[in-house]
Amino acid sequence: MTSFQRITLHFSNNAEEAPRVSRRLEHFLHDKAIPDTITNRILLCVDELITNIIAHAYNDKQEHAVSLECRIYDDFIELELRDDGVFFDPTSQNRPNLALSVDDRDIGGLGIHLVMTLMDKVEYHREGDYNVLVATKMISDKG
C-alpha cells in the first residue's frame, strides 16, 4: 500500500475563504519540503479553482460546504476539490484559442486552461450531487 501525507480543508463558498485556504495549503506544502516551483503552480491552480467554484457553482445565495484535500505521495501531489454546485466538467470545456487577440477571443476559459497546463493530469467526475475534480502534479517536475 502506498503511503501519503494529507491535509483536508473545509471552507464555504465565500470569496474571503480563498486566501485562508491558500495560506494553509502553502504552509502544509512548505512543511513537507515541496519545491517552491511546484508549490507556486499548485497554489495558482487552487486559487483559480476555488475562485471558479465560489463565483460560478451556485445558483443561490446560500452557504455551501466545499472541500480541498491535498495528498502528497512519493512522486506526485494530488488535489481533490469537492463541491455540491451545479454540474460542471472543466475538463470537457473548449480550450481558448490563444492565437486570437484578446478582443477576438470568447470571454472565459483562461483559468481552466491555466490549470490544465500547469498540472500534469486533471480529471473530473460527478459523485451523486458533487463535482469532484482531481488534479495531479509530479514532484520530480522541475517547474
Side-chain angles (χ1 to χ4, degrees):
M1 179 169 184
T2 304
S3 66
F4 61 90
Q5 299 176 39
R6 78 169 146 219
I7 186 172
T8 303
L9 303 170
H10 299 278
F11 55 99
S12 64
N13 57 319
N14 178 323
E16 295 172 5
E17 293 278 53
R20 180 185 68 81
V21 171
S22 289
R23 278 192 307 275
R24 294 273 319 273
L25 182 58
E26 182 177 17
H27 289 298
F28 174 71
L29 295 170
H30 178 75
D31 288 347
K32 305 305 178 203
I34 300 302
D36 287 345
T37 55
I38 300 210
T39 295
N40 292 338
R41 285 176 176 234
I42 287 172
L43 292 174
L44 186 58
C45 290
V46 165
D47 185 61
E48 180 60 37
L49 293 168
I50 289 173
T51 300
N52 280 349
I53 290 169
I54 291 168
H56 305 293
Y58 302 102
N59 294 326
D60 59 35
K61 299 295 182 195
Q62 303 298 313
E63 184 171 296
H64 293 266
V66 182
S67 69
L68 167 66
E69 182 169 278
C70 176
R71 297 178 287 265
I72 301 175
Y73 296 87
D74 292 337
D75 299 329
F76 63 95
I77 298 169
E78 193 171 69
L79 304 171
E80 182 177 300
L81 271 156
R82 287 180 175 268
D83 69 79
D84 66 344
V86 297
F87 171 86
F88 180 70
D89 178 358
T91 65
S92 69
Q93 303 305 305
N94 290 330
R95 297 275 189 110
N97 183 347
L98 300 179
L100 295 175
S101 73
V102 172
D103 293 332
D104 294 332
R105 239 182 313 195
D106 290 335
I107 294 175
L110 285 176
I112 292 168
H113 173 73
L114 179 75
V115 171
M116 302 288 279
T117 302
L118 292 178
M119 300 301 283
D120 293 307
K121 184 174 169 185
V122 180
E123 299 174 301
Y124 169 88
H125 66 276
R126 186 81 175 173
E127 225 172 78
D129 292 334
Y130 291 88
N131 293 301
V132 181
L133 184 84
V134 179
T136 305
K137 184 69 182 157
M138 300 304 295
I139 295 173
S140 61
D141 187 351
K142 301 297 182 211

